Amino acid sequence: MSDVKGKVLKHGEQTRTMHWLHLICFLILGLTGIGFYWNIGWINDLFGGPANASLVHRWTAVVFTAGPAIYILLNFERFSKFIDTISTFTRDDIQWLKTMGGYIPFLKGKVPPQDKYNAGQKILGWVVILGCLLFILTGFPMWLWRHAVSPAFLDFCYTVHFWDAMIMMLAVLGHFFLAAIHPQSRVEFSSMMLDGYVDAGVTAHHNAKWFANLSKLE
Ligand code: HEM
């Protein structure tokens, strides 16, 4: 991989706290949503019946919305930088996507150097941002303005909310596989889920452009 030694701080404490909070909220929202959509008894019972599951869903949604909003306000510069990074797609990113970062055995080719986030993570970043905005834009009218909006719009919100949930759950499952299970990519796990640090040798290889910039700053 690389003979660089030591560790590099990749994600600060507030970022990790926000990620944990959002993950826990997402799991509760997904579980309660599935429970009352398909009327699955044991899931609803975990939350004290369907009516309570619905209440848990709504108030968890408030935390799910407020958590990132507070994080963005407190870390505006960092968040702008994150948006800037995930919005920048260079030739190296396109080439990374063609080889899927070398993570899929039958896709051969040179894996080009990447920024703090690789091209796949950049796409996931946008999927998560847009998916969460859709949850907010459909979920709150379903809760708070159900009698004020037209039945057709309410129907539309329910349909979009449901399909958003299905797509986002699949996206999060894929993210979980790469972040926690795939032997080549799970090396970054502790940087978001534990102490924030990633092995410098791993970063010099997986995020060579970012690592080169960090080295310049030192
Ligand atoms: C701001 C975030 C969210 C808000 C305000 C919100 C709100 C709601 C509301 C009001 C309902 C109608 C059911 C009820 O009466 O309780 C609902 C249904 C549902 N929610 Fe959410 N939700 C949010 C996020 C999520 C997330 C993140 C997921 C999945 C991971 C999800 C999955 C579902 C599902 C599967 C249903 C049933 C869909 C349907 O009836 O068409 N929700 N949500």
Side-chain angles (χ1 to χ4, degrees):
M1 188 150 288
S2 161
D3 32 1
V4 181
K5 299 265 180 293
K7 287 189 173 273
V8 174
L9 180 65
K10 188 160 188 184
H11 302 294
E13 199 172 6
Q14 288 194 8
T15 307
R16 284 178 277 131
T17 309
M18 199 276 289
H19 186 270
W20 264 111
L21 183 76
H22 221 217
L23 170 65
I24 292 168
C25 287
F26 185 87
L27 293 177
I28 297 175
L29 286 163
L31 202 57
T32 47
I34 287 174
F36 51 67
Y37 186 76
W38 280 291
N39 201 10
I40 302 175
W42 70 267
I43 297 183
N44 290 334
D45 290 345
L46 276 181
F47 298 93
N52 272 336
S54 170
L55 269 182
V56 170
H57 191 85
R58 293 163 197 220
W59 288 103
T60 306
V62 173
V63 182
F64 183 81
T65 307
I70 294 169
Y71 170 83
I72 293 168
L73 287 176
L74 294 177
N75 298 274
F76 194 71
E77 216 174 299
R78 184 178 308 183
F79 183 71
S80 307
K81 182 114 205 313
F82 170 72
I83 293 293
D84 195 43
T85 307
I86 66 169
S87 306
T88 307
F89 280 88
T90 63
R91 271 192 198 162
D92 283 341
D93 291 302
I94 308 296
Q95 180 58 22
W96 189 97
L97 288 173
K98 284 186 186 156
T99 56
M100 286 312 286
Y103 295 149
I104 299 180
F106 57 83
L107 279 180
K108 300 282 178 224
K110 188 176 176 307
V111 179
Q114 294 290 281
D115 207 331
K116 184 171 182 180
Y117 302 99
N118 65 42
Q121 291 169 324
K122 289 178 181 183
I123 292 174
L124 182 81
W126 276 114
V127 169
V128 169
I129 291 174
L130 297 177
C132 289
L133 283 176
L134 270 185
F135 280 130
I136 293 168
L137 291 175
T138 53
F140 285 108
M142 282 154 66
W143 175 10
L144 301 172
W145 303 298
R146 53 186 310 111
H147 300 298
V149 298
S150 71
F153 180 71
L154 194 61
D155 246 24
F156 173 76
C157 287
Y158 269 89
T159 307
V160 172
H161 198 84
F162 173 77
W163 285 107
D164 191 19
M166 296 304 115
I167 292 167
M168 289 289 280
M169 283 185 218
L170 287 178
V172 170
L173 265 181
H175 177 47
F176 172 75
F177 173 74
L178 286 169
I181 296 175
H182 193 294
Q184 273 167 275
S185 48
R186 70 175 181 213
V187 285
E188 279 192 46
F189 182 82
S190 67
S191 75
M192 190 56 100
M193 306 314 284
L194 301 170
D195 61 358
Y197 284 88
V198 65
D199 187 86
V202 165
T203 301
H205 179 264
H206 284 206
N207 309 92
K209 289 184 183 175
W210 181 62
F211 189 75
N213 270 337
L214 280 183
S215 309
K216 264 190 245 156
L217 291 176
E218 272 173 7

Short mmCIF file of all heavy atoms in Angstrom, two decimals, residues 26 29-30 33-34 36-37 54 57-58 61 64-65 135-136 139-140 142-143 146 158-159 161-162 165-166 169, ligand 1:
data_model
loop_
_atom_site.label_atom_id
_atom_site.label_comp_id
_atom_site.label_asym_id
_atom_site.label_seq_id
_atom_site.Cartn_x
_atom_site.Cartn_y
_atom_site.Cartn_z
N PHE A 26 -32.11 7.60 11.52
CA PHE A 26 -32.49 6.94 10.26
C PHE A 26 -33.00 5.52 10.54
O PHE A 26 -34.02 5.10 9.99
CB PHE A 26 -31.29 6.91 9.30
CG PHE A 26 -31.63 6.36 7.94
CD1 PHE A 26 -32.12 7.19 6.94
CD2 PHE A 26 -31.47 5.01 7.66
CE1 PHE A 26 -32.45 6.68 5.69
CE2 PHE A 26 -31.80 4.49 6.42
CZ PHE A 26 -32.29 5.33 5.43
N LEU A 29 -36.41 5.75 12.15
CA LEU A 29 -37.40 6.19 11.16
C LEU A 29 -37.72 5.06 10.18
O LEU A 29 -38.89 4.83 9.84
CB LEU A 29 -36.88 7.43 10.42
CG LEU A 29 -36.91 8.72 11.23
CD1 LEU A 29 -36.02 9.78 10.61
CD2 LEU A 29 -38.34 9.23 11.35
N GLY A 30 -36.66 4.35 9.73
CA GLY A 30 -36.86 3.26 8.77
C GLY A 30 -37.69 2.14 9.40
O GLY A 30 -38.65 1.65 8.81
N GLY A 33 -41.28 3.29 10.09
CA GLY A 33 -41.96 3.48 8.80
C GLY A 33 -42.38 2.14 8.21
O GLY A 33 -43.53 1.95 7.81
N ILE A 34 -41.44 1.16 8.21
CA ILE A 34 -41.74 -0.18 7.68
C ILE A 34 -42.84 -0.81 8.53
O ILE A 34 -43.79 -1.41 8.02
CB ILE A 34 -40.47 -1.07 7.72
CG1 ILE A 34 -39.51 -0.63 6.63
CG2 ILE A 34 -40.81 -2.54 7.55
CD1 ILE A 34 -38.16 -1.34 6.66
N PHE A 36 -45.34 0.57 10.36
CA PHE A 36 -46.74 0.95 10.14
C PHE A 36 -47.16 0.89 8.68
O PHE A 36 -48.34 0.75 8.40
CB PHE A 36 -47.15 2.25 10.84
CG PHE A 36 -46.28 3.47 10.63
CD1 PHE A 36 -46.19 4.08 9.39
CD2 PHE A 36 -45.57 4.03 11.69
CE1 PHE A 36 -45.41 5.21 9.21
CE2 PHE A 36 -44.79 5.16 11.52
CZ PHE A 36 -44.71 5.74 10.26
N TYR A 37 -46.22 0.91 7.73
CA TYR A 37 -46.63 0.80 6.32
C TYR A 37 -47.18 -0.61 6.04
O TYR A 37 -48.21 -0.78 5.41
CB TYR A 37 -45.47 1.11 5.37
CG TYR A 37 -45.89 1.15 3.93
CD1 TYR A 37 -46.59 2.24 3.42
CD2 TYR A 37 -45.63 0.07 3.08
CE1 TYR A 37 -47.02 2.26 2.09
CE2 TYR A 37 -46.05 0.09 1.75
CZ TYR A 37 -46.73 1.19 1.26
OH TYR A 37 -47.16 1.22 -0.04
N SER A 54 -46.03 5.71 15.26
CA SER A 54 -46.22 6.90 14.43
C SER A 54 -45.72 8.15 15.16
O SER A 54 -45.06 9.01 14.56
CB SER A 54 -47.70 7.02 14.07
OG SER A 54 -47.94 8.25 13.46
N HIS A 57 -42.00 8.06 15.14
CA HIS A 57 -41.53 8.41 13.80
C HIS A 57 -41.49 9.94 13.65
O HIS A 57 -40.50 10.52 13.21
CB HIS A 57 -42.48 7.81 12.75
CG HIS A 57 -41.98 7.87 11.35
ND1 HIS A 57 -41.14 6.93 10.80
CD2 HIS A 57 -42.20 8.77 10.35
CE1 HIS A 57 -40.87 7.23 9.55
NE2 HIS A 57 -41.50 8.36 9.24
N ARG A 58 -42.56 10.60 14.06
CA ARG A 58 -42.64 12.06 13.84
C ARG A 58 -41.62 12.82 14.69
O ARG A 58 -40.95 13.73 14.20
CB ARG A 58 -44.05 12.55 14.16
CG ARG A 58 -45.06 12.01 13.16
CD ARG A 58 -46.47 12.13 13.67
NE ARG A 58 -47.34 11.26 12.89
CZ ARG A 58 -48.56 11.59 12.50
NH1 ARG A 58 -49.05 12.76 12.82
NH2 ARG A 58 -49.28 10.75 11.80
N ALA A 61 -38.18 12.36 13.56
CA ALA A 61 -37.98 13.18 12.34
C ALA A 61 -37.55 14.60 12.71
O ALA A 61 -36.77 15.22 11.98
CB ALA A 61 -39.25 13.20 11.51
N PHE A 64 -33.97 14.31 13.42
CA PHE A 64 -33.34 13.99 12.13
C PHE A 64 -33.14 15.27 11.29
O PHE A 64 -32.18 15.40 10.55
CB PHE A 64 -34.26 13.01 11.40
CG PHE A 64 -33.78 12.50 10.08
CD1 PHE A 64 -32.85 11.46 10.00
CD2 PHE A 64 -34.29 13.01 8.89
CE1 PHE A 64 -32.43 10.97 8.78
CE2 PHE A 64 -33.87 12.52 7.66
CZ PHE A 64 -32.95 11.49 7.61
N THR A 65 -34.07 16.23 11.45
CA THR A 65 -33.98 17.48 10.69
C THR A 65 -33.14 18.51 11.44
O THR A 65 -32.28 19.19 10.85
CB THR A 65 -35.40 18.06 10.47
OG1 THR A 65 -36.21 17.03 9.89
CG2 THR A 65 -35.39 19.26 9.55
N PHE A 135 -37.34 13.71 2.25
CA PHE A 135 -38.05 13.24 3.46
C PHE A 135 -38.69 14.44 4.18
O PHE A 135 -39.83 14.39 4.61
CB PHE A 135 -37.09 12.54 4.43
CG PHE A 135 -36.78 11.12 4.06
CD1 PHE A 135 -35.46 10.67 4.00
CD2 PHE A 135 -37.79 10.21 3.80
CE1 PHE A 135 -35.17 9.37 3.67
CE2 PHE A 135 -37.50 8.89 3.47
CZ PHE A 135 -36.18 8.47 3.40
N ILE A 136 -37.87 15.52 4.30
CA ILE A 136 -38.34 16.70 5.03
C ILE A 136 -39.50 17.37 4.27
O ILE A 136 -40.54 17.69 4.85
CB ILE A 136 -37.16 17.68 5.24
CG1 ILE A 136 -36.14 17.05 6.19
CG2 ILE A 136 -37.63 19.03 5.77
CD1 ILE A 136 -34.80 17.77 6.27
N GLY A 139 -42.45 14.75 4.39
CA GLY A 139 -42.87 14.27 5.72
C GLY A 139 -43.60 15.32 6.54
O GLY A 139 -44.64 15.01 7.17
N PHE A 140 -43.08 16.56 6.56
CA PHE A 140 -43.74 17.57 7.41
C PHE A 140 -45.14 17.94 6.89
O PHE A 140 -46.06 18.04 7.71
CB PHE A 140 -42.82 18.77 7.65
CG PHE A 140 -41.74 18.43 8.66
CD1 PHE A 140 -40.41 18.27 8.26
CD2 PHE A 140 -42.05 18.23 10.00
CE1 PHE A 140 -39.43 17.91 9.18
CE2 PHE A 140 -41.07 17.87 10.93
CZ PHE A 140 -39.75 17.72 10.52
N MET A 142 -47.11 15.90 5.42
CA MET A 142 -47.94 14.73 5.77
C MET A 142 -48.36 14.79 7.23
O MET A 142 -49.40 14.27 7.63
CB MET A 142 -47.13 13.44 5.53
CG MET A 142 -47.05 13.02 4.07
SD MET A 142 -45.56 12.04 3.72
CE MET A 142 -45.85 10.55 4.65
N TRP A 143 -47.51 15.41 8.06
CA TRP A 143 -47.77 15.49 9.49
C TRP A 143 -48.58 16.76 9.84
O TRP A 143 -49.68 16.68 10.39
CB TRP A 143 -46.44 15.47 10.23
CG TRP A 143 -46.49 15.66 11.72
CD1 TRP A 143 -47.61 15.66 12.53
CD2 TRP A 143 -45.39 15.87 12.60
NE1 TRP A 143 -47.26 15.86 13.84
CE2 TRP A 143 -45.89 15.99 13.91
CE3 TRP A 143 -44.00 15.96 12.41
CZ2 TRP A 143 -45.06 16.19 15.03
CZ3 TRP A 143 -43.18 16.16 13.51
CH2 TRP A 143 -43.71 16.29 14.81
N ARG A 146 -51.63 18.22 6.71
CA ARG A 146 -52.42 17.23 5.96
C ARG A 146 -53.83 17.73 5.64
O ARG A 146 -54.43 17.34 4.66
CB ARG A 146 -52.46 15.88 6.67
CG ARG A 146 -52.89 15.89 8.12
CD ARG A 146 -52.75 14.54 8.79
NE ARG A 146 -53.37 13.46 8.03
CZ ARG A 146 -52.69 12.50 7.44
NH1 ARG A 146 -51.38 12.46 7.50
NH2 ARG A 146 -53.34 11.56 6.79
N TYR A 158 -47.09 11.08 0.08
CA TYR A 158 -46.99 9.71 0.61
C TYR A 158 -46.21 8.82 -0.37
O TYR A 158 -45.36 8.03 0.04
CB TYR A 158 -48.38 9.12 0.84
CG TYR A 158 -48.88 9.38 2.26
CD1 TYR A 158 -49.59 10.52 2.58
CD2 TYR A 158 -48.62 8.46 3.28
CE1 TYR A 158 -50.04 10.76 3.87
CE2 TYR A 158 -49.06 8.70 4.59
CZ TYR A 158 -49.77 9.84 4.87
OH TYR A 158 -50.20 10.07 6.15
N THR A 159 -46.50 8.97 -1.67
CA THR A 159 -45.83 8.12 -2.66
C THR A 159 -44.33 8.43 -2.71
O THR A 159 -43.49 7.53 -2.66
CB THR A 159 -46.46 8.33 -4.06
OG1 THR A 159 -47.85 8.13 -3.92
CG2 THR A 159 -45.89 7.38 -5.08
N HIS A 161 -42.50 9.91 -0.43
CA HIS A 161 -41.89 9.56 0.87
C HIS A 161 -41.58 8.06 0.91
O HIS A 161 -40.49 7.65 1.31
CB HIS A 161 -42.87 9.94 1.98
CG HIS A 161 -42.27 10.06 3.34
ND1 HIS A 161 -41.65 11.20 3.78
CD2 HIS A 161 -42.20 9.19 4.38
CE1 HIS A 161 -41.23 11.03 5.03
NE2 HIS A 161 -41.55 9.81 5.42
N PHE A 162 -42.54 7.26 0.45
CA PHE A 162 -42.35 5.80 0.49
C PHE A 162 -41.18 5.38 -0.40
O PHE A 162 -40.29 4.64 0.03
CB PHE A 162 -43.64 5.09 0.05
CG PHE A 162 -43.47 3.61 -0.08
CD1 PHE A 162 -43.43 2.79 1.05
CD2 PHE A 162 -43.31 3.01 -1.33
CE1 PHE A 162 -43.25 1.42 0.93
CE2 PHE A 162 -43.12 1.64 -1.45
CZ PHE A 162 -43.09 0.85 -0.31
N ALA A 165 -37.88 6.37 0.90
CA ALA A 165 -37.45 5.46 1.98
C ALA A 165 -36.85 4.18 1.39
O ALA A 165 -35.78 3.73 1.84
CB ALA A 165 -38.64 5.13 2.88
N MET A 166 -37.47 3.60 0.37
CA MET A 166 -36.95 2.35 -0.20
C MET A 166 -35.56 2.56 -0.81
O MET A 166 -34.64 1.79 -0.60
CB MET A 166 -37.92 1.79 -1.28
CG MET A 166 -39.28 1.40 -0.75
SD MET A 166 -39.19 0.20 0.61
CE MET A 166 -39.83 1.14 1.96
N MET A 169 -32.91 3.35 1.94
CA MET A 169 -32.52 2.17 2.73
C MET A 169 -31.53 1.32 1.94
O MET A 169 -30.56 0.81 2.50
CB MET A 169 -33.75 1.37 3.14
CG MET A 169 -34.50 2.01 4.29
SD MET A 169 -35.84 0.95 4.80
CE MET A 169 -37.07 2.16 5.16
C1 HEM B 1 -37.97 14.71 8.23
C2 HEM B 1 -38.05 13.43 8.20
C3 HEM B 1 -39.37 12.67 8.20
C4 HEM B 1 -40.66 13.07 8.50
C5 HEM B 1 -41.13 14.46 8.94
C6 HEM B 1 -41.52 11.92 8.34
C7 HEM B 1 -42.89 11.91 8.56
C8 HEM B 1 -43.72 10.87 8.21
C9 HEM B 1 -45.15 10.87 8.38
C10 HEM B 1 -45.96 12.02 8.99
C11 HEM B 1 -45.59 9.70 7.91
C12 HEM B 1 -47.04 9.22 7.84
C13 HEM B 1 -47.27 8.12 8.81
C14 HEM B 1 -47.68 8.65 10.14
O1 HEM B 1 -48.82 9.05 10.21
O2 HEM B 1 -46.89 8.62 11.09
C15 HEM B 1 -44.48 8.93 7.43
C16 HEM B 1 -44.54 7.69 6.83
C17 HEM B 1 -43.45 6.94 6.48
N1 HEM B 1 -42.13 7.26 6.66
FE1 HEM B 1 -41.44 9.06 7.30
N2 HEM B 1 -40.75 10.85 7.94
C18 HEM B 1 -39.43 11.28 7.87
C19 HEM B 1 -38.33 10.50 7.54
C20 HEM B 1 -38.39 9.18 7.17
C21 HEM B 1 -37.22 8.35 6.91
C22 HEM B 1 -35.77 8.80 7.05
C23 HEM B 1 -37.69 7.11 6.55
C24 HEM B 1 -36.94 5.85 6.18
C25 HEM B 1 -35.71 5.62 6.47
C26 HEM B 1 -39.14 7.18 6.56
C27 HEM B 1 -39.98 6.15 6.22
C28 HEM B 1 -41.35 6.22 6.20
C29 HEM B 1 -42.21 5.18 5.68
C30 HEM B 1 -41.74 3.84 5.05
C31 HEM B 1 -43.52 5.63 5.85
C32 HEM B 1 -44.78 4.93 5.36
C33 HEM B 1 -44.99 5.49 3.94
C34 HEM B 1 -46.38 5.68 3.49
O3 HEM B 1 -47.31 5.57 4.29
O4 HEM B 1 -46.54 5.98 2.27
N3 HEM B 1 -39.52 8.45 6.96
N4 HEM B 1 -43.31 9.68 7.63
#
